Amino acid sequence: MEQVYVDTAKVLKAISDPKRLRIVDMLSCGELCACKILEAFHITQPTLSHDMKVLIEAKIVNDRREGKNIYYSLNKEQLDVFEKTMQNILTEKTNCICNADGGCN
């Protein structure tokens, strides 16, 4: 279970930046070329590359190269796992982590 927390924290850290969260929102509409993402922000290409690297390393964005262009899309399978994990963490349950540790009191 500890790895689940590590993986989830990596995703949360990646999307905790407002710009990266906006990029994820943009990609929710479908695949986009890096040039289109860049047009939406007043940043340099290296800055965008860094942000995309963070999102890719968190496994929530996929990339593919086509000629000189790089296209980005959401990793929907990984985002489904993230959503279910967050639902599990945030929902009261009978097998609460407190019960496993002998109680929270």
Side-chain angles (χ1 to χ4, degrees), residues 6 37 41 59 74 86 93:
V6 170
I37 298 170
F41 298 94
K59 299 179 182 167
L74 293 182
M86 289 304 299
K93 51 205 161 281

Side-chain angles (χ1 to χ4, degrees), residues 1-2 4-5 8 79-98:
M1 188 66 181
E2 193 62 34
V4 171
Y5 296 134
T8 303
L79 287 169
D80 286 344
V81 169
F82 171 71
E83 183 179 0
K84 288 175 185 168
T85 300
M86 289 304 299
Q87 183 68 31
N88 185 48
I89 289 172
L90 298 172
T91 303
E92 189 174 330
K93 51 205 161 281
T94 56
N95 63 340
C96 178
I97 190 170
C98 291

Side-chain angles (χ1 to χ4, degrees), residues 37-77:
I37 298 170
L38 200 54
E39 287 175 8
F41 298 94
H42 298 290
I43 58 173
T44 64
Q45 189 278 326
T47 300
L48 177 63
S49 291
H50 169 75
D51 286 323
M52 298 314 295
K53 180 181 176 186
V54 171
L55 294 169
I56 291 167
E57 287 178 352
K59 299 179 182 167
I60 57 175
V61 169
N62 297 318
D63 64 333
R64 70 176 182 85
R65 183 173 293 277
E66 188 174 300
K68 292 182 177 182
N69 295 322
I70 300 176
Y71 292 86
Y72 297 100
S73 62
L74 293 182
N75 182 341
K76 294 187 188 285
E77 296 80 21

